[in-house]
Amino acid sequence: MKWRNNKRNTNPITPLCLLLGISFINTVTAAIDADDDKVNRLALQGQIDTQAPLSKTLWAGAHNAYASYEWDAAPYTDVNQWYSPNDLFNRGIREMEYDVYPASSISSTPQMCHLGLEEKTMCIYMFGTAATLGEGLDEITDYLANHKDEVILLKFEAYDSSYHTNFRNKIGEKIESRLGDYVFKPSDWGYGDDDCASLPVQTLTKQDVLDAGRNVILFNLNSG
């Protein structure tokens, strides 16, 4: 999959440019057992609306899902979540947000951190300890390996970098190498591989994604 930055495709991180009408619940969870009744209800909800248009579905979500207290991939202190991304999946979360920026002005390795400076953001303030995007994507593939009937919505906050040319293309390459065939692509609903296409949320269902042999829908929060 190629990620381009031109007038036709202004959002090179993902070919999914617009996703409207879906309901999200952003949660911070702590001390919830995977067998808790609340988790079971969330899992059931995810199965109930499999046949519904995406505009009518409910997604339990985790804001800054990588910034976890107990995830051993990085010592985040500005945490938003208690559990690691994989453990959040096991507790009913199906929508996650990853903020992805370069490690430093020298290294373009995509890492996960949040600083709020958009194109000027780097993860260097964590002194090389921020989790890499690859580690975050591995949490997804590890979960999906044993949950083939689940659909995950992965949202990104990512910008072009002031320090690295085509940084979001590098993110796209990492997504392709780690998530590969899990990702629902525009070609799965009639577009070319390089097209930037809006999801038909009024008609597309989770079951359509599964029937295409996919499990992950990508979405970028910013359009710049």
Side-chain angles (χ1 to χ4, degrees), residues 8-11 14-22 54-55 153 184-205 209 217-220 223:
R8 187 177 185 185
N9 184 1
T10 59
N11 185 4
T14 170
L16 309 182
C17 293
L18 182 62
L19 187 58
L20 299 175
I22 296 177
L54 292 182
S55 60
L153 178 64
F184 190 68
K185 301 177 176 70
S187 56
D188 294 319
W189 72 93
Y191 289 83
D193 284 335
D194 293 333
D195 287 345
C196 182
S198 299
L199 278 173
V201 296
Q202 301 300 326
T203 57
L204 187 71
T205 70
V209 176
I217 298 173
L218 299 180
F219 175 52
N220 194 25
S223 59

Side-chain angles (χ1 to χ4, degrees), residues 116-162:
L117 300 178
E118 298 185 354
E119 290 90 347
K120 296 184 180 299
T121 299
M122 298 180 289
C123 296
I124 194 171
Y125 73 93
M126 292 190 64
F127 302 101
T129 64
T132 65
L133 174 59
E135 290 173 311
L137 298 178
D138 286 345
E139 292 285 288
I140 297 173
T141 57
D142 288 348
Y143 176 77
L144 290 175
N146 297 311
H147 299 84
K148 304 292 188 182
D149 61 342
E150 296 289 353
V151 177
I152 291 170
L153 178 64
L154 180 59
K155 300 196 298 183
F156 288 93
E157 180 177 295
Y159 298 84
D160 290 326
S161 173
S162 297

Side-chain angles (χ1 to χ4, degrees), residues 201-217:
V201 296
Q202 301 300 326
T203 57
L204 187 71
T205 70
K206 294 179 186 177
Q207 191 61 54
D208 292 330
V209 176
L210 295 172
D211 289 345
R214 314 298 189 184
N215 300 89
V216 180
I217 298 173

Side-chain angles (χ1 to χ4, degrees), residues 3-221:
W3 310 91
R4 302 182 304 174
N5 192 4
N6 53 39
K7 290 183 178 179
R8 187 177 185 185
N9 184 1
T10 59
N11 185 4
I13 180 178
T14 170
L16 309 182
C17 293
L18 182 62
L19 187 58
L20 299 175
I22 296 177
S23 299
F24 301 109
I25 300 175
N26 287 308
T27 60
V28 177
T29 59
I32 298 177
D33 190 86
D35 295 325
D36 190 281
D37 284 345
K38 291 185 288 294
V39 174
N40 293 331
R41 288 195 291 269
L42 279 179
L44 180 60
Q45 177 63 49
Q47 297 298 321
I48 288 174
D49 62 13
T50 298
Q51 302 285 348
L54 292 182
S55 60
K56 304 296 183 181
T57 55
L58 182 143
W59 301 72
H63 180 68
N64 294 338
Y66 59 89
S68 160
Y69 175 78
E70 72 161 22
W71 191 25
D72 58 9
Y76 290 103
T77 56
D78 49 349
V79 299
N80 289 95
Q81 307 298 330
W82 182 269
Y83 293 110
S84 69
N86 192 299
D87 285 343
L88 286 171
F89 288 134
N90 285 312
R91 285 161 176 79
I93 298 301
R94 296 294 180 267
E95 175 261 317
M96 287 194 172
E97 181 194 355
Y98 283 173
D99 297 349
V100 184
Y101 298 98
S104 68
S105 60
I106 298 174
S107 172
S108 62
T109 298
Q111 293 186 335
M112 297 187 293
C113 64
H114 50 252
L115 197 56
L117 300 178
E118 298 185 354
E119 290 90 347
K120 296 184 180 299
T121 299
M122 298 180 289
C123 296
I124 194 171
Y125 73 93
M126 292 190 64
F127 302 101
T129 64
T132 65
L133 174 59
E135 290 173 311
L137 298 178
D138 286 345
E139 292 285 288
I140 297 173
T141 57
D142 288 348
Y143 176 77
L144 290 175
N146 297 311
H147 299 84
K148 304 292 188 182
D149 61 342
E150 296 289 353
V151 177
I152 291 170
L153 178 64
L154 180 59
K155 300 196 298 183
F156 288 93
E157 180 177 295
Y159 298 84
D160 290 326
S161 173
S162 297
Y163 313 99
H164 302 283
T165 303
N166 296 324
F167 173 66
R168 290 197 293 187
N169 285 4
K170 192 173 184 67
I171 296 174
E173 292 168 1
K174 184 64 66 175
I175 292 170
E176 183 68 22
S177 66
R178 295 297 180 98
L179 287 184
D181 290 339
Y182 283 116
V183 177
F184 190 68
K185 301 177 176 70
S187 56
D188 294 319
W189 72 93
Y191 289 83
D193 284 335
D194 293 333
D195 287 345
C196 182
S198 299
L199 278 173
V201 296
Q202 301 300 326
T203 57
L204 187 71
T205 70
K206 294 179 186 177
Q207 191 61 54
D208 292 330
V209 176
L210 295 172
D211 289 345
R214 314 298 189 184
N215 300 89
V216 180
I217 298 173
L218 299 180
F219 175 52
N220 194 25
L221 290 171

